[in-house]
Amino acid sequence: MNPARNVMPGSTSRRRLLRAAAGGAGLALLGAGTVGCDESEGGATRSEDKKPAAGGGSSAPADGQAPAPLWQVTTTAKAYGGDDALVVVDGVVIAIGDPLVGWDAASGKKRWSREGVTVPGAPLLVGKGRLYLASGQYDGNIVALDPATGQEVWRSRLGNGFAHPRPVAVDDTAVYMVATIIEDGVRTKTNVIAAIDSTSGKVLWREQRDTGTEENGISASVRGKTLVYTDFRKNLTVRDTTTGKQVWTQKLGKTNYDRFAVHEDLVIVSQGRDLRAFALADGAERWTLRTEEFTNFQPPAVLEGVLYVSDSSHAQWAVDPATGKEIWHRPVPTDEQAAAAWQFAKSGGTLFGATDLDEHGGVHAFDARTGARRWTYNDKSGALGAWYVAAEGKRVFALHDEKLTALPAS
């Protein structure tokens, strides 16, 4: 087996197993008590290898070499394999952890810090200039924070008949969440999906999901008036965001543990060897793209109208999301070792991909037009946790274990 591959053919990656654990045992702590964290976050440090150029940039590295970090800080990040562990909002970078800290994107200086506001493994969801979290007090509340200051804007709850509320998606109108139904003080095996107004915290609607569904392992996204989500039970479901009514649901061939992509009227999901696109209107399959035998697709992302995805043979793909037609496909050359990317960000003409494994991994920078790899940044910590990537303006941010690094997006 090539050591640069993310997974054995047909197997589940470490990150997926962690995400599954966080979605079950980890997030079940929402109703079972408090989880603490003793580490303290460090201050920003500049790279000693290369001094930043004037204006916050970095001197150009040699061909094929990663640029020197603009800054680096030690965080209290506890990602547990979740997809939304790192966000950047209007010049503030936030990584999931306790205390939760907002770092200045330009300088790496701490803007704010708050203890006891996060739940391990829960996503950081951003919409309409707000950051939405399950309450770190395990009190059944959903909390909206101002990402610029860390101050609480509002908190809301579904009511006393529900436990373990967890946000799964957000748009400019509402925060969408799932919660377990409680009857006679006992948790049941049924759950609801609900929407809370993102301005006031008022509950807009609440719908009970089908019997046999679980509140764990949900990946969700919003497109217009459509809420679409997958779960551990191999369901792909669409609901109306105005009323919460289910439009349609159908079974997928495989469980989807990771995020999927939504483009215009399509939802695109990785299913082993296949990348499958379904119509949001009725669930009809529009196209399928298949990779080579014994190889699995990683989670897809649509950035600036192009779908990017890698596979477990560590090849990179760029695809037209409307048709499934290949734009480019770049297998890693035999003289090159590079773990496949599972999460993507884009700045200008550069595509950034965060990998699952540390060895031969880190954050790759690709030419978005051709897929050619320009460089790979690795913090040399040797930590085996997944990498996360986010970009804003001329900077790209990498989270790995407890290190948060800013790099020039060039």
Side-chain angles (χ1 to χ4, degrees), residues 4 6 15 297-300 308-312 314-316 338-344 351-356 362-364 366 389:
N6 283 42
R15 177 182 49 77
F297 276 117
Q298 304 296 318
Y308 298 101
V309 67
S310 62
D311 62 38
S312 56
H314 50 110
Q316 298 291 140
W342 74 275
Q343 190 183 59
F344 295 95
L351 174 71
F352 299 95
T355 74
D356 198 2
V363 172
H364 301 314
F366 303 97
V389 66

mmCIF file of all heavy atoms in Angstrom, residues 4 6 15 297-300 308-312 314-316 338-344 351-356 362-364 366 389:
data_model
loop_
_atom_site.group_PDB
_atom_site.id
_atom_site.type_symbol
_atom_site.label_atom_id
_atom_site.label_comp_id
_atom_site.label_asym_id
_atom_site.label_seq_id
_atom_site.Cartn_x
_atom_site.Cartn_y
_atom_site.Cartn_z
ATOM 1 N N ALA A 4 1.127 7.224 1.053
ATOM 2 C CA ALA A 4 0.506 8.530 0.872
ATOM 3 C C ALA A 4 -1.000 8.449 0.735
ATOM 4 O O ALA A 4 -1.680 9.451 0.730
ATOM 5 C CB ALA A 4 1.085 9.215 -0.368
ATOM 6 N N ASN A 6 -4.897 7.977 1.631
ATOM 7 C CA ASN A 6 -5.672 8.318 2.825
ATOM 8 C C ASN A 6 -6.205 7.088 3.523
ATOM 9 O O ASN A 6 -6.263 7.016 4.732
ATOM 10 C CB ASN A 6 -6.863 9.206 2.456
ATOM 11 C CG ASN A 6 -6.442 10.610 2.212
ATOM 12 O OD1 ASN A 6 -5.429 10.857 1.587
ATOM 13 N ND2 ASN A 6 -7.217 11.548 2.721
ATOM 14 N N ARG A 15 -10.405 10.188 10.118
ATOM 15 C CA ARG A 15 -11.220 11.370 10.322
ATOM 16 C C ARG A 15 -12.696 11.018 10.325
ATOM 17 O O ARG A 15 -13.481 11.548 11.103
ATOM 18 C CB ARG A 15 -10.926 12.397 9.222
ATOM 19 C CG ARG A 15 -11.765 13.648 9.294
ATOM 20 C CD ARG A 15 -11.423 14.572 8.140
ATOM 21 N NE ARG A 15 -11.426 13.877 6.887
ATOM 22 C CZ ARG A 15 -12.537 13.528 6.233
ATOM 23 N NH1 ARG A 15 -13.710 13.825 6.725
ATOM 24 N NH2 ARG A 15 -12.469 12.893 5.085
ATOM 25 N N PHE A 297 -14.031 8.181 -3.698
ATOM 26 C CA PHE A 297 -14.012 9.637 -3.712
ATOM 27 C C PHE A 297 -14.053 10.180 -2.289
ATOM 28 O O PHE A 297 -14.685 9.616 -1.392
ATOM 29 C CB PHE A 297 -15.211 10.188 -4.479
ATOM 30 C CG PHE A 297 -15.012 10.259 -5.964
ATOM 31 C CD1 PHE A 297 -15.810 9.517 -6.830
ATOM 32 C CD2 PHE A 297 -14.045 11.087 -6.507
ATOM 33 C CE1 PHE A 297 -15.638 9.593 -8.199
ATOM 34 C CE2 PHE A 297 -13.858 11.182 -7.877
ATOM 35 C CZ PHE A 297 -14.656 10.425 -8.723
ATOM 36 N N GLN A 298 -13.382 11.301 -2.090
ATOM 37 C CA GLN A 298 -13.423 12.050 -0.845
ATOM 38 C C GLN A 298 -14.586 13.056 -0.931
ATOM 39 O O GLN A 298 -15.253 13.144 -1.954
ATOM 40 C CB GLN A 298 -12.085 12.777 -0.637
ATOM 41 C CG GLN A 298 -10.868 11.867 -0.667
ATOM 42 C CD GLN A 298 -10.871 10.860 0.460
ATOM 43 O OE1 GLN A 298 -11.205 11.180 1.597
ATOM 44 N NE2 GLN A 298 -10.503 9.626 0.155
ATOM 45 N N PRO A 299 -14.858 13.855 0.120
ATOM 46 C CA PRO A 299 -15.951 14.826 0.050
ATOM 47 C C PRO A 299 -15.709 15.880 -1.034
ATOM 48 O O PRO A 299 -14.600 16.398 -1.155
ATOM 49 C CB PRO A 299 -15.938 15.473 1.447
ATOM 50 C CG PRO A 299 -15.253 14.485 2.316
ATOM 51 C CD PRO A 299 -14.248 13.808 1.460
ATOM 52 N N PRO A 300 -16.732 16.217 -1.832
ATOM 53 C CA PRO A 300 -16.588 17.231 -2.876
ATOM 54 C C PRO A 300 -16.848 18.635 -2.349
ATOM 55 O O PRO A 300 -17.458 18.824 -1.292
ATOM 56 C CB PRO A 300 -17.670 16.829 -3.877
ATOM 57 C CG PRO A 300 -18.761 16.272 -3.002
ATOM 58 C CD PRO A 300 -18.061 15.582 -1.852
ATOM 59 N N TYR A 308 -14.515 20.466 -6.990
ATOM 60 C CA TYR A 308 -13.197 19.882 -6.743
ATOM 61 C C TYR A 308 -13.358 18.689 -5.813
ATOM 62 O O TYR A 308 -14.121 18.734 -4.834
ATOM 63 C CB TYR A 308 -12.255 20.905 -6.105
ATOM 64 C CG TYR A 308 -12.001 22.115 -6.984
ATOM 65 C CD1 TYR A 308 -12.665 23.319 -6.747
ATOM 66 C CD2 TYR A 308 -11.098 22.052 -8.044
ATOM 67 C CE1 TYR A 308 -12.440 24.431 -7.548
ATOM 68 C CE2 TYR A 308 -10.869 23.161 -8.851
ATOM 69 C CZ TYR A 308 -11.538 24.343 -8.604
ATOM 70 O OH TYR A 308 -11.312 25.443 -9.403
ATOM 71 N N VAL A 309 -12.628 17.637 -6.102
ATOM 72 C CA VAL A 309 -12.698 16.435 -5.287
ATOM 73 C C VAL A 309 -11.413 15.643 -5.507
ATOM 74 O O VAL A 309 -10.778 15.724 -6.562
ATOM 75 C CB VAL A 309 -13.942 15.585 -5.661
ATOM 76 C CG1 VAL A 309 -13.822 15.008 -7.069
ATOM 77 C CG2 VAL A 309 -14.203 14.490 -4.637
ATOM 78 N N SER A 310 -11.010 14.882 -4.499
ATOM 79 C CA SER A 310 -9.881 13.971 -4.652
ATOM 80 C C SER A 310 -10.374 12.555 -4.421
ATOM 81 O O SER A 310 -11.517 12.338 -4.001
ATOM 82 C CB SER A 310 -8.768 14.322 -3.659
ATOM 83 O OG SER A 310 -9.232 14.183 -2.340
ATOM 84 N N ASP A 311 -9.526 11.585 -4.717
ATOM 85 C CA ASP A 311 -9.893 10.205 -4.433
ATOM 86 C C ASP A 311 -8.771 9.533 -3.647
ATOM 87 O O ASP A 311 -7.707 10.109 -3.435
ATOM 88 C CB ASP A 311 -10.254 9.438 -5.709
ATOM 89 C CG ASP A 311 -9.103 9.316 -6.702
ATOM 90 O OD1 ASP A 311 -7.941 9.130 -6.256
ATOM 91 O OD2 ASP A 311 -9.351 9.372 -7.912
ATOM 92 N N SER A 312 -9.036 8.309 -3.187
ATOM 93 C CA SER A 312 -8.097 7.642 -2.294
ATOM 94 C C SER A 312 -6.859 7.114 -3.002
ATOM 95 O O SER A 312 -5.970 6.564 -2.370
ATOM 96 C CB SER A 312 -8.790 6.505 -1.538
ATOM 97 O OG SER A 312 -9.381 5.585 -2.437
ATOM 98 N N HIS A 314 -5.089 9.300 -4.333
ATOM 99 C CA HIS A 314 -4.518 10.643 -4.200
ATOM 100 C C HIS A 314 -4.452 11.412 -5.505
ATOM 101 O O HIS A 314 -3.562 12.220 -5.730
ATOM 102 C CB HIS A 314 -3.176 10.637 -3.454
ATOM 103 C CG HIS A 314 -2.154 9.649 -3.925
ATOM 104 N ND1 HIS A 314 -1.019 10.004 -4.563
ATOM 105 C CD2 HIS A 314 -2.101 8.300 -3.804
ATOM 106 C CE1 HIS A 314 -0.298 8.933 -4.843
ATOM 107 N NE2 HIS A 314 -0.938 7.897 -4.386
ATOM 108 N N ALA A 315 -5.448 11.198 -6.359
ATOM 109 C CA ALA A 315 -5.610 12.008 -7.564
ATOM 110 C C ALA A 315 -6.563 13.158 -7.273
ATOM 111 O O ALA A 315 -7.425 13.069 -6.405
ATOM 112 C CB ALA A 315 -6.167 11.166 -8.707
ATOM 113 N N GLN A 316 -6.383 14.245 -8.020
ATOM 114 C CA GLN A 316 -7.245 15.426 -7.892
ATOM 115 C C GLN A 316 -8.124 15.547 -9.133
ATOM 116 O O GLN A 316 -7.681 15.261 -10.246
ATOM 117 C CB GLN A 316 -6.397 16.690 -7.754
ATOM 118 C CG GLN A 316 -5.518 16.728 -6.522
ATOM 119 C CD GLN A 316 -6.320 16.855 -5.254
ATOM 120 O OE1 GLN A 316 -6.009 16.235 -4.250
ATOM 121 N NE2 GLN A 316 -7.366 17.654 -5.300
ATOM 122 N N ALA A 338 1.985 12.473 -2.046
ATOM 123 C CA ALA A 338 1.100 13.494 -1.487
ATOM 124 C C ALA A 338 -0.209 12.845 -1.070
ATOM 125 O O ALA A 338 -0.860 12.185 -1.875
ATOM 126 C CB ALA A 338 0.831 14.600 -2.506
ATOM 127 N N ALA A 339 -0.583 13.009 0.184
ATOM 128 C CA ALA A 339 -1.871 12.526 0.653
ATOM 129 C C ALA A 339 -2.995 13.304 -0.020
ATOM 130 O O ALA A 339 -2.822 14.466 -0.403
ATOM 131 C CB ALA A 339 -1.965 12.671 2.173
ATOM 132 N N ALA A 340 -4.147 12.654 -0.183
ATOM 133 C CA ALA A 340 -5.275 13.297 -0.858
ATOM 134 C C ALA A 340 -5.944 14.313 0.044
ATOM 135 O O ALA A 340 -6.013 14.156 1.264
ATOM 136 C CB ALA A 340 -6.292 12.244 -1.291
ATOM 137 N N ALA A 341 -6.455 15.381 -0.566
ATOM 138 C CA ALA A 341 -7.157 16.430 0.172
ATOM 139 C C ALA A 341 -8.598 16.026 0.430
ATOM 140 O O ALA A 341 -9.248 15.414 -0.420
ATOM 141 C CB ALA A 341 -7.113 17.734 -0.607
ATOM 142 N N TRP A 342 -9.134 16.378 1.612
ATOM 143 C CA TRP A 342 -10.530 16.099 1.935
ATOM 144 C C TRP A 342 -11.342 17.375 2.099
ATOM 145 O O TRP A 342 -12.563 17.339 2.087
ATOM 146 C CB TRP A 342 -10.627 15.261 3.207
ATOM 147 C CG TRP A 342 -10.357 16.013 4.471
ATOM 148 C CD1 TRP A 342 -9.141 16.260 5.030
ATOM 149 C CD2 TRP A 342 -11.321 16.619 5.339
ATOM 150 N NE1 TRP A 342 -9.279 16.987 6.186
ATOM 151 C CE2 TRP A 342 -10.605 17.220 6.408
ATOM 152 C CE3 TRP A 342 -12.713 16.714 5.323
ATOM 153 C CZ2 TRP A 342 -11.239 17.908 7.441
ATOM 154 C CZ3 TRP A 342 -13.331 17.406 6.355
ATOM 155 C CH2 TRP A 342 -12.603 17.980 7.402
ATOM 156 N N GLN A 343 -10.663 18.521 2.246
ATOM 157 C CA GLN A 343 -11.356 19.802 2.408
ATOM 158 C C GLN A 343 -10.640 20.840 1.557
ATOM 159 O O GLN A 343 -9.409 20.827 1.469
ATOM 160 C CB GLN A 343 -11.342 20.215 3.887
ATOM 161 C CG GLN A 343 -12.248 21.398 4.200
ATOM 162 C CD GLN A 343 -12.144 21.808 5.658
ATOM 163 O OE1 GLN A 343 -11.074 22.153 6.135
ATOM 164 N NE2 GLN A 343 -13.254 21.754 6.371
ATOM 165 N N PHE A 344 -11.417 21.735 0.939
ATOM 166 C CA PHE A 344 -10.843 22.680 -0.011
ATOM 167 C C PHE A 344 -11.199 24.122 0.326
ATOM 168 O O PHE A 344 -12.236 24.417 0.930
ATOM 169 C CB PHE A 344 -11.343 22.376 -1.427
ATOM 170 C CG PHE A 344 -10.895 21.050 -1.970
ATOM 171 C CD1 PHE A 344 -11.712 19.940 -1.867
ATOM 172 C CD2 PHE A 344 -9.648 20.908 -2.571
ATOM 173 C CE1 PHE A 344 -11.311 18.711 -2.365
ATOM 174 C CE2 PHE A 344 -9.228 19.692 -3.070
ATOM 175 C CZ PHE A 344 -10.067 18.590 -2.964
ATOM 176 N N LEU A 351 -5.925 26.739 -5.589
ATOM 177 C CA LEU A 351 -6.815 25.852 -4.852
ATOM 178 C C LEU A 351 -6.021 25.239 -3.703
ATOM 179 O O LEU A 351 -4.917 24.732 -3.902
ATOM 180 C CB LEU A 351 -7.332 24.741 -5.771
ATOM 181 C CG LEU A 351 -8.172 23.644 -5.124
ATOM 182 C CD1 LEU A 351 -9.538 24.195 -4.731
ATOM 183 C CD2 LEU A 351 -8.335 22.460 -6.083
ATOM 184 N N PHE A 352 -6.576 25.308 -2.495
ATOM 185 C CA PHE A 352 -5.911 24.737 -1.330
ATOM 186 C C PHE A 352 -6.677 23.509 -0.857
ATOM 187 O O PHE A 352 -7.899 23.525 -0.787
ATOM 188 C CB PHE A 352 -5.833 25.767 -0.194
ATOM 189 C CG PHE A 352 -5.043 26.992 -0.570
ATOM 190 C CD1 PHE A 352 -5.679 28.126 -1.051
ATOM 191 C CD2 PHE A 352 -3.658 27.002 -0.472
ATOM 192 C CE1 PHE A 352 -4.959 29.249 -1.417
ATOM 193 C CE2 PHE A 352 -2.927 28.121 -0.834
ATOM 194 C CZ PHE A 352 -3.569 29.245 -1.308
ATOM 195 N N GLY A 353 -5.931 22.453 -0.539
ATOM 196 C CA GLY A 353 -6.547 21.220 -0.077
ATOM 197 C C GLY A 353 -5.926 20.744 1.217
ATOM 198 O O GLY A 353 -4.699 20.621 1.309
ATOM 199 N N ALA A 354 -6.759 20.488 2.230
ATOM 200 C CA ALA A 354 -6.282 19.973 3.515
ATOM 201 C C ALA A 354 -6.392 18.454 3.506
ATOM 202 O O ALA A 354 -7.401 17.896 3.059
ATOM 203 C CB ALA A 354 -7.113 20.557 4.653
ATOM 204 N N THR A 355 -5.371 17.780 4.022
ATOM 205 C CA THR A 355 -5.327 16.325 3.969
ATOM 206 C C THR A 355 -5.730 15.701 5.298
ATOM 207 O O THR A 355 -5.808 16.372 6.328
ATOM 208 C CB THR A 355 -3.922 15.823 3.585
ATOM 209 O OG1 THR A 355 -3.036 15.995 4.699
ATOM 210 C CG2 THR A 355 -3.377 16.572 2.384
ATOM 211 N N ASP A 356 -5.931 14.389 5.255
ATOM 212 C CA ASP A 356 -6.296 13.643 6.448
ATOM 213 C C ASP A 356 -5.060 13.224 7.234
ATOM 214 O O ASP A 356 -5.005 13.352 8.444
ATOM 215 C CB ASP A 356 -7.092 12.405 6.028
ATOM 216 C CG ASP A 356 -7.877 11.803 7.173
ATOM 217 O OD1 ASP A 356 -7.839 12.368 8.275
ATOM 218 O OD2 ASP A 356 -8.529 10.772 6.970
ATOM 219 N N GLY A 362 -0.682 17.750 4.781
ATOM 220 C CA GLY A 362 -0.676 19.120 5.261
ATOM 221 C C GLY A 362 -1.695 19.904 4.469
ATOM 222 O O GLY A 362 -2.824 19.463 4.252
ATOM 223 N N VAL A 363 -1.307 21.073 4.004
ATOM 224 C CA VAL A 363 -2.132 21.871 3.100
ATOM 225 C C VAL A 363 -1.412 21.960 1.767
ATOM 226 O O VAL A 363 -0.308 22.486 1.685
ATOM 227 C CB VAL A 363 -2.398 23.275 3.660
ATOM 228 C CG1 VAL A 363 -3.080 24.153 2.617
ATOM 229 C CG2 VAL A 363 -3.276 23.187 4.904
ATOM 230 N N HIS A 364 -2.032 21.397 0.726
ATOM 231 C CA HIS A 364 -1.489 21.482 -0.630
ATOM 232 C C HIS A 364 -1.997 22.739 -1.316
ATOM 233 O O HIS A 364 -3.144 23.149 -1.120
ATOM 234 C CB HIS A 364 -1.948 20.289 -1.488
ATOM 235 C CG HIS A 364 -1.556 18.948 -0.963
ATOM 236 N ND1 HIS A 364 -0.295 18.654 -0.513
ATOM 237 C CD2 HIS A 364 -2.282 17.796 -0.830
ATOM 238 C CE1 HIS A 364 -0.241 17.386 -0.138
ATOM 239 N NE2 HIS A 364 -1.445 16.852 -0.310
ATOM 240 N N PHE A 366 -2.604 24.033 -5.164
ATOM 241 C CA PHE A 366 -2.688 23.583 -6.553
ATOM 242 C C PHE A 366 -2.990 24.756 -7.476
ATOM 243 O O PHE A 366 -3.673 25.706 -7.081
ATOM 244 C CB PHE A 366 -3.815 22.551 -6.733
ATOM 245 C CG PHE A 366 -3.718 21.338 -5.858
ATOM 246 C CD1 PHE A 366 -4.434 21.272 -4.668
ATOM 247 C CD2 PHE A 366 -2.939 20.257 -6.225
ATOM 248 C CE1 PHE A 366 -4.367 20.158 -3.859
ATOM 249 C CE2 PHE A 366 -2.864 19.130 -5.424
ATOM 250 C CZ PHE A 366 -3.580 19.078 -4.237
ATOM 251 N N VAL A 389 -8.663 23.714 6.461
ATOM 252 C CA VAL A 389 -8.207 24.872 5.703
ATOM 253 C C VAL A 389 -9.366 25.837 5.476
ATOM 254 O O VAL A 389 -10.523 25.427 5.304
ATOM 255 C CB VAL A 389 -7.576 24.433 4.357
ATOM 256 C CG1 VAL A 389 -8.614 23.809 3.433
ATOM 257 C CG2 VAL A 389 -6.866 25.591 3.675
#
